[in-house]
Amino acid sequence: MNRIVTLFLVVFFFFLQYGCADFETVIRDEVPDRPTVLTRELADLYREVAGASPLVRSLDGYADITIKTPRRKERVYCNIQLVRYRESRMIVSAGLLGWPVADLYFGKDSLYVHDMLNNRLLAGRNSEENLEKILGVPSGYRLLSESLLGLVNLDEAVEDVSSVKKGEGRVLYVFEKNRIRKEMVIDSENRTLTSLVIRNGPGELSTTLYFRNFKPYRLENKVMLIPQQIEMVLSRTGDLQENAYRLLIDYDKRVINPEALSIKFARPRNARLINFDDIGVLPWM
């Protein structure tokens, strides 16, 4: 059984892969390095950017997704539907004709992957371990879904800021609490979050999110800039250069807060069921 499952998964991701071009990383900006005090103006800037995130409640769009792990590079094209804090769905297409080959559903607790080519269903918990088996990126679902939305939830109060630094048109806000350090870089002119670094302590997982290629959207009578390109970089060793896991999301088109978005995943009939929890480390990771 294990050999059959492994063979199926190798074939499954072979069809998902339609290109292995070099991984295109988002252009890096220099991190602000001039210490400054938290003025009222800088406090208001942070509050404005933090207050924009809740306005994005859902999306329906299409994106190129590139995945790079220490052992593998993959690129797929996806229809992404997502409702913040609830559920999401990714329909993966591959090949020159763009045929759908996989249907992924992410619920609060459950995770399903329908292999359309072989009519097989992978099912299990929506956990970091199972997300890594699918996407190759060791991320929790909340961080992944926030990244897909483009505007992550900044729930730290500005009064809790540990330090502030300024640079060329950018401001770095640092928060430290319960051994977790968050570094947020905000573009002071465009009023946008351009990067977020999360450090969990020595030897533990560290995460960096980059946001680029902002496009204007009108939400609740406000014009907001939302990134078309999001990159997530994760490392279990704290080294984001070597042995890192990278996920690059590049939207082709999308609708923010579409009316009456309904995410429906119908479990396929007569599909062979495979439990994620019974599968160990997959061969391409």
Side-chain angles (χ1 to χ4, degrees):
M1 173 62 73
N2 290 337
R3 295 181 61 186
I4 294 175
V5 170
T6 299
L7 178 61
F8 149 66
L9 290 171
V10 172
V11 173
F12 173 67
F13 271 81
F14 172 79
F15 280 101
L16 288 186
Q17 180 178 354
Y18 67 83
C20 282
D22 290 340
F23 188 82
E24 298 179 2
T25 57
V26 177
I27 297 174
R28 312 291 185 238
D29 292 321
E30 292 185 6
V31 177
D33 57 1
R34 299 197 305 269
T36 187
V37 296
L38 181 65
T39 63
R40 180 176 180 177
E41 179 183 1
L42 294 180
D44 289 342
L45 172 63
Y46 173 79
R47 291 192 184 98
E48 179 181 339
V49 174
S53 178
L55 297 181
V56 178
R57 298 182 296 274
S58 60
L59 70 81
D60 188 354
Y62 295 86
D64 283 302
I65 296 183
T66 308
I67 302 166
K68 180 182 178 183
T69 75
R71 298 182 181 179
R72 194 80 174 183
K73 294 179 183 178
E74 304 288 349
R75 187 182 178 194
V76 296
Y77 190 67
C78 294
N79 171 213
I80 301 173
Q81 298 178 322
L82 193 151
V83 178
R84 189 189 290 267
Y85 304 133
R86 287 177 51 192
E87 59 185 348
S88 62
R89 186 180 182 188
M90 299 172 65
I91 301 175
V92 182
S93 301
L96 296 177
L97 299 179
W99 286 335
V101 295
D103 190 352
L104 290 69
Y105 173 80
F106 307 82
K108 288 184 178 181
D109 302 310
S110 56
L111 176 60
Y112 295 97
V113 176
H114 179 207
D115 167 24
M116 297 178 178
L117 295 176
N118 300 295
N119 194 31
R120 298 177 179 181
L121 180 67
L122 283 75
R125 297 171 295 113
N126 189 348
S127 64
E128 181 177 310
E129 294 78 13
N130 287 337
L131 284 176
E132 184 174 0
K133 292 174 184 178
I134 298 175
L135 300 175
V137 178
S139 166
Y141 176 65
R142 178 173 178 178
L143 182 60
L144 174 64
S145 60
E146 294 276 315
S147 300
L148 290 171
L149 284 170
L151 292 184
V152 298
N153 185 28
L154 304 180
D155 51 9
E156 289 75 19
V158 69
E159 292 78 13
D160 296 330
V161 67
S162 300
S163 62
V164 182
K165 294 182 179 180
K166 297 183 69 174
E168 295 298 326
R170 285 174 169 76
V171 183
L172 169 65
Y173 299 84
V174 178
F175 297 85
E176 294 185 80
K177 186 176 181 180
N178 298 329
R179 298 189 62 204
I180 297 178
R181 177 184 173 97
K182 295 185 178 181
E183 304 169 5
M184 307 171 189
V185 176
I186 290 177
D187 184 318
S188 56
E189 179 178 353
N190 294 321
R191 327 291 280 187
T192 57
L193 178 71
T194 60
S195 69
L196 168 63
V197 178
I198 304 174
R199 306 182 191 276
N200 295 345
E204 297 181 11
L205 179 68
S206 58
T207 305
T208 300
L209 299 173
Y210 300 98
F211 308 94
R212 294 292 184 273
N213 192 17
F214 289 83
K215 301 296 182 181
Y217 290 84
R218 179 171 290 277
L219 303 176
E220 299 184 9
N221 297 321
K222 297 180 180 179
V223 176
M224 300 176 52
L225 293 174
I226 301 176
Q228 297 284 98
Q229 191 177 69
I230 305 104
E231 183 182 0
M232 176 190 292
V233 185
L234 303 100
S235 172
R236 291 191 176 93
T237 63
D239 185 348
L240 295 177
Q241 300 301 321
E242 298 294 332
N243 297 320
Y245 297 75
R246 301 175 186 270
L247 179 70
L248 182 64
I249 305 152
D250 196 348
Y251 280 98
D252 179 30
K253 57 182 178 179
R254 64 183 167 182
V255 178
I256 304 294
N257 296 345
E259 295 184 6
L261 175 63
S262 178
I263 299 178
K264 297 181 179 179
F265 177 82
R267 295 185 58 171
R269 296 181 179 180
N270 303 319
R272 182 178 180 181
L273 183 64
I274 301 174
N275 195 317
F276 274 117
D277 296 335
D278 295 334
I279 302 174
V281 177
L282 300 184
W284 58 83
M285 299 304 174

